[in-house]
Amino acid sequence: MPDKKQLLARDGNAIPAIGFGVWQSRGEELINAVRCALDSGYRLIDTAAIYGNESEVGTAIKTAGVRREDVFITTKLWNDRHDDVENAFSESLSKLGCDYIDLYLIHWPVSGQDLFVSAWNDMIRLRDSGRVKNIGVSNFSIEQIRRLEAETGVLPAVNQLQIHPLNQQRELVDWLRVQGVVTQAWSPLGHGSQHILTEPGILKIAARHHKTPAQIILRWLYENQIVALPKSSTPQRIKENIDIFDFSLSASELAAMRELDRGLNVGNDPTSFR
């Protein structure tokens, strides 16, 4: 059984309950940030082919003094490679300098090209080969996941979504939970939208617990069994963002967080993004 800092995927594999995102980070800044994250206790590092930094992530992990088997590495298949999964995966594996990847995701469904089911079949084969421990999707709807299962018989282990207090996607998250699919939250602190971190309700809860607004949001996600993937290049914030296991939110605080939802999308629209 996983400890309190892990969630179980459908196949029983443990997934860290909080991870470290590296979108828009490059070079030495990224390497130092990943090393700091690992030193601070993070064990999930989330990258993607389109980020252009898989090599730096691999370098950081190799030089961080943490065993490879203790780090959960996620990367993602980009939109123009749905018909070239094997080669795309091999490129990512080579850049990361690994023998296997813990989680490989279809980054976006790209509904217009209608190749995500074919890509999913290829990912199933990768999983069966042992080069990937878990396979999943990102930004997929209920209907798209139902189609994956109907046409392949395999549900994803994970669906990574834009989740933050102002965009909670509760219907989708609740459905995923019933199916046993782990939800991960990209941009959990609002994709740089600082007004999320200055929401009066969040500030009030933060003051009560002597925590930062970011810590309140990340704890809220944790208590909702959602894996958060915060990103920072500042050592103090990196350390603060994982320091969420020494307090809990009350029922009234969770209810107050729930009331903040207003469907605020701070990223691309999954129904139209190409």
Side-chain angles (χ1 to χ4, degrees):
M1 291 294 291
D3 63 27
K4 69 176 184 176
K5 298 180 182 179
Q6 295 177 319
L7 296 177
L8 282 179
R10 286 179 51 79
D11 57 8
N13 287 330
I15 297 177
I18 186 168
F20 187 71
V22 298
W23 181 61
Q24 290 187 325
S25 292
R26 298 294 298 272
E28 285 299 316
E29 180 182 75
L30 179 147
I31 291 171
N32 291 333
V34 171
R35 286 174 179 159
C36 179
L38 291 170
D39 187 57
S40 301
Y42 295 82
R43 288 297 179 265
L44 188 167
I45 308 298
D46 180 270
T47 185
I50 195 64
Y51 299 171
N53 58 18
E54 290 169 312
S55 295
E56 290 107 310
V57 167
T59 297
I61 292 170
K62 285 179 182 176
T63 58
V66 179
R67 296 184 307 169
R68 165 66 186 95
E69 57 266 34
D70 292 333
V71 183
F72 191 101
I73 301 175
T74 300
T75 193
K76 310 178 191 78
L77 176 75
W78 187 238
N79 301 348
D80 62 355
R81 306 297 294 275
H82 283 199
D83 59 352
D84 192 27
V85 174
E86 175 68 35
N87 288 328
F89 174 78
S90 294
E91 290 167 17
S92 289
L93 200 64
S94 176
K95 289 175 182 177
L96 287 161
C98 298
D99 297 324
Y100 68 94
I101 290 173
D102 297 276
L103 176 63
Y104 196 42
L105 305 178
I106 299 178
H107 205 150
W108 293 88
V110 200
S111 301
Q113 67 183 13
D114 196 29
L115 291 173
F116 64 80
V117 174
S118 173
W120 187 242
N121 273 312
D122 289 338
M123 292 178 72
I124 293 169
R125 284 189 280 273
L126 284 174
R127 183 201 61 184
D128 292 345
S129 76
R131 289 176 291 168
V132 181
K133 303 298 184 183
N134 304 273
I135 54 174
V137 296
S138 182
N139 305 297
F140 273 56
S141 67
I142 292 174
E143 292 73 22
Q144 288 163 339
I145 294 177
R146 280 178 171 156
R147 184 178 168 196
L148 289 181
E149 183 181 31
E151 297 191 28
T152 71
V154 176
L155 275 168
V158 165
N159 190 13
Q160 191 177 117
L161 304 166
Q162 180 198 146
I163 304 281
H164 53 75
L166 308 189
N167 188 35
Q168 298 181 23
Q169 301 202 61
R170 288 199 296 268
E171 180 183 1
L172 176 50
V173 170
D174 290 346
W175 182 84
L176 292 169
R177 186 176 294 116
V178 170
Q179 306 307 313
V181 177
V182 173
T183 299
Q184 293 184 335
W186 60 262
S187 294
L189 305 179
H191 197 43
S193 302
Q194 290 303 307
H195 57 284
I196 293 177
L197 295 176
T198 57
E199 274 286 323
I202 296 174
L203 291 174
K204 183 183 293 186
I205 297 171
R208 189 179 299 133
H209 290 278
H210 305 288
K211 292 288 186 178
T212 68
Q215 287 170 320
I216 297 304
I217 293 169
L218 297 171
R219 179 69 197 192
W220 164 74
L221 288 164
Y222 172 75
E223 294 196 19
N224 280 280
Q225 296 183 300
I226 297 171
V227 177
L229 303 168
K231 175 249 179 181
S232 178
S233 58
T234 306
Q236 180 182 348
R237 288 184 187 145
I238 292 171
K239 295 172 185 177
E240 285 177 350
N241 287 344
I242 199 171
D243 184 20
I244 62 167
F245 298 105
D246 61 348
F247 75 105
S248 60
L249 301 178
S250 68
S252 62
E253 288 169 339
L254 289 171
M257 294 291 289
R258 184 182 178 91
E259 292 301 313
L260 295 176
D261 188 18
R262 49 180 179 263
L264 177 65
N265 185 344
V266 296
N268 297 307
D269 181 351
T271 64
S272 59
F273 184 60
R274 298 293 183 266

